[in-house]
Amino acid sequence: MTTLWPIMLRVWLASGSSRRQQMLENIFPNLVCQALDGVDESAEEAEVSQQVFEIANKKSAAIKENTDFDLIIVSDTMLADPDIDNVSIGKPTDEVDAAMMLHRLSGRRHRVWSSTGIYFSGHWKFFTDCAIVEIKQLSDEELVELVLSKSWLGKAGGYDLAGDMSKYAKLVDGDESTVLGIAGSAMELLNQIAIGS
């Protein structure tokens, strides 16, 4: 029964993130990964933890209740500016924006926030977690290499900790899943659901 349980679950990851998909497809064989259209991903000025929660909550509100899925996951990830901890850094819009973000983070530590909503057993539950990442001082060549690799596309702060940036950055505190896009405490619950406990 335990081995059949995750196969029976119809799971929707309401995100276009390949990293989130990779984290979940191993535990949920019937995972459907499809982003929501037309969700306003802006947030009121507030602590970064509140901003990511607000956006994750907007994503959950955009989902109609009568879906064909047993489990639905929404998530949002933002960085806190290393100089002003309550100012958020989102996804870069182009190569220049990516270069500016990476230059700002170079040689410093910063906080990464993820807020994840899980719909299961008829109701939503939200988790918002923080992790701390340190990026070494990037040389001009390394910065150019990261920008030209396009690894910044769709990534908060312009980098992918499990991708090209793994050579230059390390997790100082918190869960890696929080940095990759799913709050660590939410990932724990998803693992519990997957094994049917």
Side-chain angles (χ1 to χ4, degrees):
M1 181 68 177
T2 304
T3 53
L4 289 175
W5 169 249
I7 298 171
M8 293 161 50
L9 282 175
R10 297 160 302 170
V11 184
W12 176 18
L13 170 62
S15 167
S17 164
S18 58
R19 281 289 171 228
R20 291 185 184 122
Q21 181 177 357
Q22 285 170 5
M23 284 191 282
L24 295 176
E25 63 189 357
N26 290 331
I27 59 173
F28 296 116
N30 281 345
L31 182 73
V32 172
C33 185
Q34 183 177 352
L36 293 161
D37 292 324
V39 177
D40 175 15
E41 294 196 27
S42 62
E44 297 292 326
E45 276 192 38
E47 298 291 325
V48 180
S49 58
Q50 292 173 272
Q51 291 183 47
V52 288
F53 169 74
E54 183 184 336
I55 295 168
N57 201 44
K58 282 182 182 180
K59 291 176 180 178
S60 72
I63 295 171
K64 294 181 179 138
E65 286 184 23
N66 59 344
T67 67
D68 295 325
F69 293 94
D70 305 305
L71 174 65
I72 304 170
I73 302 127
V74 297
S75 203
D76 191 68
T77 302
M78 282 183 177
L79 275 65
D81 188 294
D83 288 322
I84 312 164
D85 200 42
N86 64 347
V87 171
S88 62
I89 298 175
K91 300 170 190 171
T93 54
D94 55 28
E95 290 184 347
V96 173
D97 200 20
M100 287 173 63
M101 283 185 187
L102 292 172
H103 186 265
R104 187 164 189 75
L105 299 173
S106 175
R108 314 175 75 183
R109 289 185 177 187
H110 60 274
R111 295 181 192 276
V112 182
W113 290 92
S114 280
S115 187
T116 303
I118 298 171
Y119 179 82
F120 188 62
S121 298
H123 66 276
W124 284 96
K125 189 168 185 179
F126 287 86
F127 302 85
T128 303
D129 292 339
C130 172
I132 298 173
V133 173
E134 181 176 280
I135 297 177
K136 82 171 197 72
Q137 189 72 45
L138 298 169
S139 67
D140 291 344
E141 293 78 13
E142 289 165 342
L143 194 86
V144 169
E145 178 190 313
L146 285 165
V147 172
L148 293 179
S149 74
K150 305 267 186 208
S151 59
W152 53 269
L153 279 168
K155 302 290 190 295
Y159 73 88
D160 179 4
L161 187 65
D164 291 350
M165 183 57 89
S166 63
K167 297 180 283 188
Y168 312 113
K170 65 179 181 181
L171 183 68
V172 175
D173 188 41
D175 294 304
E176 184 179 45
S177 66
T178 298
V179 183
L180 298 180
I182 296 177
S185 51
M187 201 66 200
E188 285 179 25
L189 177 59
L190 291 167
N191 277 304
Q192 289 172 10
I193 292 170
I195 61 173
S197 64

